[in-house]
Structures are given as structure tokens and as C-alpha cells.
Amino acid sequence: MDFTDFDEPVKAGAVFSGGKVTPKWFSRGGRKHEIKNIEFTWNERSGTQEIINFSVTADAFSAEISFNKKLLVWRLKKIINT
């Protein structure tokens, strides 16, 4: 398994319902990646900021993306090639 660490903002589409957020797609470099499955979700804090992390399967790879609830910013954290 090969992975590449990133820490860059991305555009994303998500559903907000019942106090939960579910990412549906993200785009990077002008390419849109549909999220096929959410494998894991975990929360972390950075000072007063709450960050929701998602391990997702998209296209032919897996990725870790995060959503900062205070800043309303999505970030690509890691791409995992299987």
C-alpha cells in the first residue's frame, strides 16, 4: 500500500442532516472524485476548532479528508493507492 500525505484545501459537496455531515464528492486539480464509501469517521480538536475526519473510498483510491466545523473548510489529508 502506497500513500501520499497532503494538507491542502479542496472543494467538496456534502449532505448536512440530523447534526451530521456526510461528504459525497471532492475535487482537486479540476477533477471531481465521487465518494463511494465512508470507511471511518473520527473527531479531533485544534484549540477551539472541531475537525471531522473521514477515511473514504473514491474512484480507484482511498483518501482521508477533513471538515473544519468552525472555518467551514474541507482539506485533503492523504491519498492511499491500493
Side-chain angles (χ1 to χ4, degrees):
M1 191 176 310
D2 179 34
F3 67 90
T4 305
D5 285 322
F6 293 89
D7 188 19
E8 63 184 53
V10 292
K11 293 181 182 179
V15 173
F16 294 83
S17 178
K20 290 188 174 190
V21 57
T22 304
K24 296 297 184 181
W25 60 265
F26 67 93
S27 67
R28 178 178 179 264
R31 184 160 179 211
K32 185 176 178 182
H33 303 283
E34 297 288 334
I35 293 173
K36 308 291 185 202
N37 194 29
I38 298 173
E39 303 294 334
F40 302 104
T41 303
W42 67 99
N43 296 329
E44 64 181 307
R45 288 201 169 273
S46 178
T48 61
Q49 299 176 25
E50 184 179 350
I51 300 166
I52 307 170
N53 296 287
F54 302 90
S55 177
V56 301
T57 303
D59 301 330
F61 62 89
S62 295
E64 288 181 14
I65 60 174
S66 65
F67 178 66
N68 185 311
K69 290 175 69 173
K70 184 174 184 176
L71 300 177
L72 304 177
V73 174
W74 288 92
R75 297 190 77 79
L76 173 64
K77 306 297 274 185
K78 186 179 289 188
I79 290 180
I80 305 157
N81 297 307
T82 54

